[in-house]
Amino acid sequence: QSQRRGGPRADMVPEIAAAVGFVSSLLRTRGCVSEQQLQVFSGALREALAEHYKHHWFPEKPFKGSGYRCIRINHKMDPIISKAASQIGLSLPQLYQLLPSELTLWVDPYEVSYRIGEDGSICVLYEASATKPVSSYGMLTCKNQMMLGRTSPSKNYIMTVSS
């Protein structure tokens, strides 16, 4: 069934694909993981993220649940990544060698972004238009009004993750 143009999307396929592709590319650059292993890892990670996000995906409020969906490596491996990596026989010490020691990956409806290091710049991997017809929601939210006319929204409001 085709979706109405401009309406909210309930699926998270492109966002998860962007996140999985990014983590897989980090593993690929080190050359220690075969293409076949990468495919198995990608499939396992895609499945794990879809399951993890199932009841925490709010296209009408993209930043609601952002902390829950955040993938984090901060000298401690994110359990979703280590679980997917175990499918291809990668141990935690190997993962720590292959991936950055500090990585934050935000997977939100309409946007996937990441930061390497605590003070690194936030880079957008995937961005889609979240514009909705005003009639379907009554009015624009304050944040939507603020962001109208901006091509790249400020990321200062995203960091609400506590450890």
Side-chain angles (χ1 to χ4, degrees):
Q1 176 174 337
S2 69
Q3 291 190 283
R4 288 175 293 139
R5 290 180 62 82
R9 269 191 305 110
D11 75 83
M12 48 192 132
V13 172
E15 290 87 349
I16 288 178
V20 169
F22 176 69
V23 176
S24 296
S25 72
L26 290 174
L27 292 177
R28 179 181 285 117
T29 57
R30 299 294 180 124
C32 304
V33 182
S34 73
E35 281 303 312
Q36 186 182 356
Q37 284 178 305
L38 279 171
Q39 285 183 0
V40 172
F41 171 82
S42 295
L45 187 57
R46 193 177 307 112
E47 231 170 81
L49 291 177
E51 182 59 33
H52 189 65
Y53 297 165
K54 193 164 43 177
H55 302 295
H56 299 270
W57 193 257
F58 310 98
E60 69 287 354
K61 294 179 184 166
F63 294 108
K64 180 180 177 184
S66 185
Y68 181 84
R69 291 186 307 270
C70 178
I71 295 169
R72 189 103 165 91
I73 301 169
N74 187 10
H75 305 289
K76 186 177 169 215
M77 189 56 59
D78 188 287
I80 294 176
I81 290 180
S82 57
K83 185 180 170 197
S86 72
Q87 302 274 319
I88 58 168
L90 281 180
S91 67
L92 269 178
Q94 289 172 308
L95 270 181
Y96 283 117
Q97 285 183 326
L98 295 169
L99 296 173
S101 59
E102 290 182 347
L103 169 70
T104 307
L105 182 60
W106 293 277
V107 184
D108 297 315
Y110 312 110
E111 184 176 295
V112 178
S113 51
Y114 72 96
R115 182 183 66 206
I116 293 176
E118 285 305 301
D119 303 318
S121 299
I122 293 175
C123 304
V124 176
L125 289 168
Y126 170 86
E127 200 168 22
S129 170
T131 51
K132 305 164 189 74
V134 175
S135 60
S136 65
Y137 292 98
M139 67 178 133
L140 288 168
T141 64
C142 295
K143 193 174 99 197
N144 287 347
Q145 287 177 344
M146 203 175 69
M147 288 170 58
L148 279 177
R150 276 197 191 163
T151 54
S152 181
S154 163
K155 301 287 184 245
N156 298 338
Y157 58 84
I158 289 180
M159 220 24 235
T160 55
V161 177
S162 61
S163 51

